[in-house]
Amino acid sequence: MLSEPINCNGHDKTLSSGIIGIEVYFPQTVVSLKELEKFDGVSQGKYTVGLGQDNMSFCGDREDVISIAMTVLDSLVSKYDISYSDIGRLEVGTETIIDKSKSVKTALMQLFESWGNTEVEGLDTTNACYGGTQALFNTLYWLESPYWNGKYGIVIMADIAVYAPGPARPTGGCGAVALLLGKGKQVKLSPEVQLRATHMENTYDFFKPNLSSEYPTVDGAKTISCYLRALDTCYARFTQRAEAFMKQEKFSLHDIDYIVFHAPFHKMVQKSFARLLFNDFKRDPENKFFKDVQQFRNISMESSYSDKDLEKAFVTLSKPLYEEKCAPGTFLAKNIGNSYTASLYGNLACLIHEKGNALLNKRIVLFSYGSGLASSMFSLKVIQSLEDVAQKLDIKTRLSSRVWMNPEDFTKILQLREQRYGQVDYSPSNSIDSLLPGTFYLEQVDSIGCRKYNRK
């Protein structure tokens, strides 16, 4: 159970709740994008340089969104030595929908049965890659509300990103993240309420109108422009609030210790970081830091989205800052691909894994984007050492133990997933040999669609 909560100063809007721990899961099967380039017959570097990706995690018909959510939840509970009876809220952020009515969260309740705990609030939250962020906000609201019952809250972000054969397929991936939230002296990352900005609007840049397929409808150019426009809007609001909160005239990227982004592909993260520097330039063009990019001084924001010379110039200018403030939180996404709702929080875990105790008293800014669209930029302050969290994650060791699949087998496995999608009355046929002990997997789907799981 939790320790006594810290007193909350309402005037400063300081939360006594926050993140205590974090766990990550990704499938054992992985394909090299360099090998996939050869297999697909595309130019060398199209995926590895053009997208900035190295490898992509994927799963067959033995794993689904429920099984990966079960695996990451049970691993979090085990590593942080809590019991299922100590959990009062569980919310899932996902866009990997396998039932139009029954939430993923309800399936996770089978893990609570032996503990006799059925009083667990929360369900699923869905909007593309943003659902996990809203689930996090909702759970923080619960912890700070009179409805809090003294127990932990857990947020699960879990998704399987798969695309039809073609140029979008290399932007797939799979992963899950679990956040342990609570109040009091155990909290390690505390949200800064004053430093949060949100932008939402109605777009059709990426969506899934075909309920008979798990493949999305994607307008690649549009979704990139929507992402950057949302980033611009959130950052403008965020900087305004940061200047008021910190009582300083100009807040800029230089004032952020670390920043992590939702990562549909790695090059998008690099572009996004450079985009923030361009925003700083527009707000303070006289700053001597920008002496080499003055030719872009009068460009409009709308024109800037399609200006490749501008993009290249600010990526180059931002590189030293990028290596310092952003790069430490990027290697996981480069190696597992896009995990939708889990992507941003996998990057947060990656940063913690890399920096550990060096993050103490640092400010981490996060940018969350989900097509359709919903976006937020918010800040977490590290108020306790994260060394133990970093050790529990052990991400690089886990990445190195994966099973490498050739592109032919990768393609066959995705073909099987496509055939299985929406089917009933079958037993999955992929082997469980590659699964690590403790991994949950799908054992059977009966004649009416009920799903049965087992644990290796």
Side-chain angles (χ1 to χ4, degrees):
M1 300 293 285
L2 300 185
S3 58
E4 287 298 314
I6 299 169
N7 289 330
C8 178
N9 185 324
H11 178 72
D12 292 333
K13 297 183 180 178
T14 301
L15 294 186
S16 62
S17 59
I19 299 171
I20 295 170
I22 184 168
E23 176 60 334
V24 172
Y25 174 76
F26 43 84
Q28 279 293 97
T29 44
V30 59
V31 64
S32 161
L33 290 192
K34 187 175 182 179
E35 292 298 317
L36 195 60
E37 287 171 346
K38 297 176 185 177
F39 179 78
D40 289 346
V42 301
S43 59
Q44 184 179 356
K46 185 175 179 63
Y47 306 154
T48 52
V49 178
L51 297 174
Q53 293 295 124
D54 294 332
N55 308 300
M56 180 169 56
S57 291
F58 67 98
C59 56
D61 66 350
R62 283 291 184 178
E63 292 189 276
D64 62 12
V65 66
I66 291 173
S67 72
I68 66 173
M70 291 171 71
T71 299
V72 77
L73 170 59
D74 201 59
S75 183
L76 179 84
V77 168
S78 175
K79 286 186 177 182
Y80 286 88
D81 195 26
I82 64 174
S83 77
Y84 284 96
S85 60
D86 291 336
I87 301 167
R89 183 179 178 88
L90 173 63
E91 188 160 343
V92 177
T94 185
E95 63 169 276
T96 307
I97 308 301
I98 57 176
D99 190 285
K100 292 188 288 184
S101 176
K102 181 176 167 59
S103 70
V104 172
K105 185 278 180 82
T106 58
L108 301 184
M109 288 306 298
Q110 61 195 289
L111 299 180
F112 292 76
E113 289 175 4
S114 63
W115 295 88
N117 182 14
T118 60
E119 192 170 17
V120 183
E121 293 192 1
L123 288 170
D124 293 1
T125 301
T126 300
N127 185 80
C129 305
Y130 185 83
T133 295
Q134 190 61 60
L136 169 61
F137 292 168
N138 292 345
T139 304
L140 289 169
Y141 300 153
W142 173 75
L143 284 162
E144 292 294 322
S145 79
Y147 293 101
W148 179 56
N149 61 3
K151 296 188 175 185
Y152 293 108
I154 291 180
V155 177
I156 305 288
M157 299 86 169
D159 273 303
I160 300 169
V162 288
Y163 294 83
R169 175 158 280 187
T171 63
C174 178
V177 173
L179 300 179
L180 178 63
L181 282 78
K183 297 178 76 167
K185 297 177 181 179
Q186 297 180 68
V187 172
K188 294 180 169 64
L189 294 105
S190 177
E192 295 185 287
V193 178
Q194 300 90 340
L195 301 182
R196 191 168 108 190
T198 291
H199 171 71
M200 299 195 181
E201 60 178 275
N202 179 34
T203 68
Y204 283 91
D205 55 316
F206 169 110
F207 54 112
K208 297 178 178 177
N210 183 2
L211 299 181
S212 65
S213 169
E214 61 180 338
Y215 298 147
T217 297
V218 187
D219 183 334
K222 186 175 184 179
T223 199
I224 289 173
S225 65
C226 285
Y227 184 112
L228 293 176
R229 187 173 70 252
L231 177 65
D232 287 348
T233 306
C234 284
Y235 188 56
R237 293 169 180 164
F238 186 93
T239 53
Q240 184 180 29
R241 288 161 194 171
E243 287 163 0
F245 174 54
M246 298 174 189
K247 296 180 173 60
Q248 65 185 61
E249 185 178 349
K250 294 288 184 184
F251 180 91
S252 73
L253 199 52
H254 290 82
D255 297 305
I256 295 172
D257 296 312
Y258 294 96
I259 186 165
V260 292
F261 295 88
H262 164 59
F265 51 91
H266 180 62
K267 272 293 181 69
M268 193 69 211
V269 174
Q270 293 175 312
K271 291 179 181 181
S272 299
F273 189 88
R275 186 75 193 179
L276 295 187
L277 200 61
F278 171 68
N279 276 265
D280 287 346
F281 168 62
K282 293 292 283 184
R283 297 174 72 238
D284 189 17
E286 301 294 340
N287 191 311
K288 63 182 180 180
F289 184 82
F290 299 114
K291 60 183 176 59
D292 295 329
V293 291
Q294 289 298 312
Q295 66 270 34
F296 303 109
R297 185 165 180 161
N298 296 319
I299 193 170
S300 68
M301 292 299 283
E302 191 60 38
S303 298
S304 68
Y305 293 117
S306 57
D307 193 316
K308 294 301 180 184
D309 291 334
L310 180 149
E311 179 184 290
K312 184 178 180 180
F314 279 90
V315 166
T316 300
L317 182 63
S318 67
K319 190 171 182 181
L321 285 175
Y322 173 83
E323 292 298 325
E324 174 192 347
K325 298 174 181 292
C326 188
T330 60
F331 72 81
L332 180 62
K334 287 181 70 175
N335 278 284
I336 70 170
N338 190 2
S339 52
Y340 290 160
T341 56
S343 172
L344 174 65
Y345 300 93
N347 288 344
L348 174 63
C350 182
L351 175 63
I352 293 170
H353 178 276
E354 284 292 273
K355 292 297 181 178
N357 199 44
L359 294 172
L360 185 61
N361 297 320
K362 302 296 185 183
R363 173 174 290 115
I364 304 171
V365 173
L366 299 91
F367 177 67
S368 179
Y369 176 83
S371 294
L373 64 76
S375 61
S376 289
M377 181 174 283
F378 59 103
S379 173
L380 299 174
K381 194 71 180 289
V382 181
I383 59 175
Q384 287 198 59
S385 170
L386 293 170
E387 193 62 37
D388 63 323
V389 178
Q391 291 175 359
K392 287 181 172 71
L393 284 166
D394 196 24
I395 292 173
K396 286 188 174 176
T397 300
R398 294 158 64 185
L399 284 172
S400 66
S401 71
R402 291 181 296 173
V403 178
W404 291 91
M405 307 291 285
N406 61 50
E408 291 87 352
D409 289 336
F410 160 74
T411 302
K412 290 177 183 176
I413 288 171
L414 288 200
Q415 286 174 344
L416 179 62
R417 283 191 61 87
E418 184 177 336
Q419 294 165 11
R420 295 287 197 219
Y421 187 79
Q423 280 192 0
V424 297
D425 197 19
Y426 75 92
S427 296
S429 54
N430 284 144
S431 171
I432 66 169
D433 290 347
S434 65
L435 301 181
L436 291 174
T439 304
F440 289 87
Y441 62 90
L442 181 64
E443 188 172 62
Q444 185 182 26
V445 180
D446 71 14
S447 60
I448 60 170
C450 299
R451 306 170 85 88
K452 180 182 178 183
Y453 296 86
N454 207 334
R455 188 183 186 194
K456 184 172 177 181

